[in-house]
Amino acid sequence: NGSLETPFLIKTPAQLAAVVTSSNSSKFTGKSFKLANDININDTSKANWKDSAHNWVWADFRFIGTFDGDGHTVYGLYCNNTRFSGLVSMLTEGGSIHNVKLKNSYIRGYESAGGIVGYVYGHYTLSPATVSYCSVDNTVIEGSAKQIGGIVGGCNDIGLTVTDCSVTKSKITSSNADNPNLASGIIGYGWGGTKKAINCFTDDSVNPVTATTDKASFDVNDTFVDYTKVYTCATKNFDAEGVTYL
């Protein structure tokens, strides 16, 4: 019935799209969902797989509910939109995404592109959103402006906590000539509210944990980019203070 105890089960790409991208998804507000198996959205076995890939299109919907990947993997996501590009395009107050893996995928947005969530939206007085125990592997995430991140692309002034997430063997870039640092390994960009990245990991193929234009002044537990804090996060080369830049 969509409760936490008996969530709706997702078994196919069409069912997954109906929950996180459909313009009719408002009927799922506050419901719980769980992946019942791995999901293969596109066949990535050929080098030119993107030429005929099904595009994951955002349809003006904000996910308010609980999404449990149950340790399963989503393969072959192709998401090429102007903004809000990600497995879940937009997450809002009290929404929770956890325990899902994304692999062998391509995500692009002019802005607000992330592996698990493209954009987190809501007022700072509302319940914060959470993303936990998620991973992104062998994936390209790119954009032309700001808010490009391995786990979450961008977030406005609502609270956001990202815990125990990782990004490996992936390319995360912004082609913004004025500020290429607007792309980052875990959270691309956030402002207002409190953003936390806790126990997160990126390997040496991706950018630092969270975007900042002043790497020299950034340290674990420091506040930067409007109330964002990083706790015990690391790149492949972990140092005593918890953060090592690539």
Side-chain angles (χ1 to χ4, degrees):
N1 61 6
S3 66
L4 283 172
E5 294 77 18
T6 56
F8 293 123
L9 297 181
I10 298 173
K11 300 180 180 180
T12 68
Q15 290 174 343
L16 180 59
V19 171
V20 300
T21 70
S22 172
S23 59
N24 296 318
S25 296
S26 58
K27 65 184 179 181
F28 299 137
T29 296
K31 299 296 185 180
S32 297
F33 303 86
K34 180 184 285 188
L35 288 185
N37 45 253
D38 291 348
I39 302 287
N40 289 279
I41 298 175
N42 290 290
D43 181 3
T44 63
S45 60
K46 297 180 180 179
N48 62 344
W49 70 274
K50 295 191 293 294
D51 294 344
S52 58
H54 169 75
N55 191 27
W56 208 244
V57 179
W58 177 66
D60 193 19
F61 169 70
R62 303 168 190 168
F63 183 78
I64 310 174
T66 299
F67 182 93
D68 179 7
D70 201 30
H72 294 296
T73 302
V74 176
Y75 297 93
L77 176 69
Y78 177 84
C79 189
N80 190 351
N81 302 316
T82 55
R83 58 179 180 167
F84 309 142
S85 294
L87 177 63
V88 177
S89 301
M90 185 179 287
L91 182 66
T92 190
E93 68 267 16
S96 174
I97 311 294
H98 58 274
N99 207 19
V100 63
K101 304 172 185 177
L102 181 69
K103 192 170 183 177
N104 302 346
S105 296
Y106 176 86
I107 297 169
R108 179 175 177 80
Y110 172 75
E111 63 179 9
S112 305
I116 304 300
V117 179
Y119 190 70
V120 182
Y121 177 87
H123 194 264
Y124 72 91
T125 59
L126 299 173
S127 299
T130 59
V131 180
S132 59
Y133 297 98
C134 294
S135 65
V136 173
D137 182 65
N138 195 33
T139 291
V140 173
I141 304 170
E142 57 187 14
S144 304
K146 60 185 179 181
Q147 304 171 23
I148 314 300
I151 298 295
V152 174
C155 182
N156 73 341
D157 58 358
I158 192 172
L160 168 67
T161 300
V162 179
T163 60
D164 296 285
C165 292
S166 65
V167 181
T168 54
K169 300 178 182 177
S170 297
K171 181 181 179 182
I172 305 169
T173 59
S174 171
S175 59
N176 186 308
D178 295 328
N179 192 353
N181 289 323
L182 291 174
S184 191
I186 300 296
I187 303 172
Y189 191 83
W191 63 95
T194 299
K195 316 294 185 290
K196 296 180 181 179
I198 304 171
N199 296 334
C200 294
F201 173 84
T202 64
D203 69 10
D204 55 9
S205 67
V206 299
N207 296 333
V209 171
T210 311
T212 173
T213 58
D214 186 7
K215 295 180 182 179
S217 66
F218 173 75
D219 195 2
V220 66
N221 297 337
D222 274 359
T223 299
F224 67 103
V225 193
D226 293 344
Y227 314 109
T228 304
K229 294 180 180 291
V230 172
Y231 302 92
T232 59
C233 294
T235 62
K236 186 175 182 179
N237 298 310
F238 185 86
D239 69 12
E241 295 179 324
V243 175
T244 301
Y245 288 104
L246 305 175

